[in-house]
Amino acid sequence: MTQTTQAHEKTVAERRQVLQASKMSGIVAKLQHSRERSLGIGSNSQAVRHLNQDFESLRSGCLARGQLFEDDCFEALPSSLGFNELGPNSDKVLGITWKRPTELCSKPKFIAENATRTDICQGALGDCWLLAAIASLTLNKQVLSRVVPHDQSFEENYAGIFHFEFWQFGEWVDVVVDDRLPTRDGKLLFVHSEEGSEFWSALLEKAYAKLNGCYEALSGGSTIEGFEDFTGGIAERHDLSRADPHLFKIIKKALDRGSLVGCSINISSTADSEAVTYCKLVKGHAYSVTGAEQVEYRGDMVQLIRIRNPWGQVEWNGPWSDNSSNWIYVNGDDRQRLTNRSEDGEFWMSFSDFLRQYSRLEICNLTPDALTGDEFKKWAEREFEESWRRSVSAGGCRNYPNSFWMNPQFVIKLGEVDDDPDDGEEGCTFIVGLMQKNKRCMRKIGEELETIGFAIYELPEEYSGKRQVHLKKNFFLYNRSAARSGNFTNLREVCNRFCLPPGEYLIVPSTFEPNKNGDFYMRVFSEKQAHFQEIDDPVDCHVEQIDIDEDDISDRFKRLFGKLAGHDVEISVFELQRILNRVVVKRDDIKTNGFSLATCHNMVNLLDKDGSGKLGLVEFKILWTKIEKFMDLYKERDTDQSGSMSASEMRMAVEAAGFFLNNALHQIIVARYSEPNLTIDFDNFVGSLIRLESLFNTFQTLNKDGSGEIELSFMQWLTLAMV
């Protein structure tokens, strides 16, 4: 072997070791995460500690030392403000100083009596979407207490430290902050209370900025995102230009269920943002919907919507506004109950005007655990965490039929119909939410949201009840979707409401283009109980065993073996490597870098029956027969005759070889055995099949009672892992 070849093999081996180590660490982390979730860690009562900071111990330490807390994980520095417009070199950060509430007023309060939606006023940060969510949060005290623990104040046990809890992709996270806040000219730069001495909303904004990397990461967004991160609920969007005919009913039911509701007016240009219309509505601004009522007006019933501007001022001046003459013709009790004639940012308008003036409506439906009272009707909920991985499970949308089937697949079984069907049409209402994870906090490094969506297919009767059947290409070629998300979009979450007849349905989430890596979190909320689970291929091995006696071996092969084996009449790992590489180097129809020593070791370990560490005549014949079969299979599955296999071709070839694997195992194979361009050459193809057969054989040998489980001591596990 030349030095160049040795160097290349070393480089390839090192790259694969790095990939394998990275993959193993990811697998271990995923297993650990799964175990923690099963123990209740990540629930609101056992929130995960962000950056491993424990509020109670940090506060106790500060009180014992008589020092105010200074957070070294989110320091009072320009880097905590932003990375671009609020970056360290930006003019916008000039004159900013960090001050504690005790330096800004004589008697600061964390929460004055009760948090209300008028506590929140927007500052210099473009996060009105977040403020609208906070304002809606105050309407439900039970939900508010999950986010803003009330065991903290500026009087008792004050140590300059506060904490808040946010929902992040299926788990609650406890975030600690110090109370140094960015100010300019002695005033808070960002969110603040209307009367200036209440600081819970400013500190909550800081904790949310820390969770997402910096304050600037909060600029621009959808109220939905804030809704979900404060509640753990699932949010849906409604385009008011194509409003659901039952939308008022949907809004009223949502508010009755404690849901958070927001709305906004689209802008046509950047200059339009925050522009105030002639009727005193603000374009591109996030509002909260705080009420929905019907009142009698001149003999007719009129539907009204109450809306809150997080600025705390600038109100609608049209019909049903605070000073509108419409209220004169409303029953006195209703008028007194509904009206508030002050410039507090909250106002009523007719539902018909609402549909004309506003562009979008957003509803966050709360999880069952967020609603403890019997007065609320609760959704049933199921959730899953999964990932798209290039060439394994990132198949793209239906525009890519050769790979679409590789996406993760989920089945929902709808049994019971709704109690109050719209227009008398029976069906099962459910909401599907597909969310891509951790994208906002990656804005600092330039990572953007992927374009995502999902399709829903009615499951044919032959697949009914089957959960270990990952449907393949032909199913999607010959079956139309029963429903789907709207247009694929680059939002954090795509969410849609559906009503379908009882039955079983397949949900396929995807990025628009294939080969886009990403982690996602998918949930289904249903009005009635529904069964929802991921489906995948079963893991099994049906490799044909090759049974050969010495008498079956031709004299020609025996003579060849004698020449190759030498005086000890056995072939060592090193001899095997030379033999195989001498053969494959002559082939121009396959690509290969040559067989590595590791692969040759695996071949010997699989077939060495007497423990000599070498292959005798029969063992070598069996191996040679296997390699010939692998060669035929490899060429057959290399459909484009490129000399190597794509990951999707590899997946089908592994199955043809007798191995049935799930997505996770296919992902490991690609990470371990592929080249940088994610193709698999012949030596890696053979190496993966040999390794798989060896692992299946080892497990079956140890699985003596057929239970599907084995027990190993630490030393036994190490010994097997090192083989």
Side-chain angles (χ1 to χ4, degrees), residues 380-384 521-526 530-533:
E381 178 204 13
R382 291 299 302 273
E383 60 186 41
F384 281 95
Y521 175 76
M522 194 164 81
R523 294 175 289 172
V524 171
F525 276 35
S526 54
H531 301 283
F532 177 59
Q533 66 186 85

Side-chain angles (χ1 to χ4, degrees), residues 281-301:
L281 296 179
V282 186
K283 294 184 178 181
H285 192 62
Y287 288 81
S288 308
V289 176
T290 60
E293 297 281 350
Q294 290 192 91
V295 298
E296 185 176 347
Y297 174 73
R298 291 182 168 180
D300 293 322
M301 297 304 295

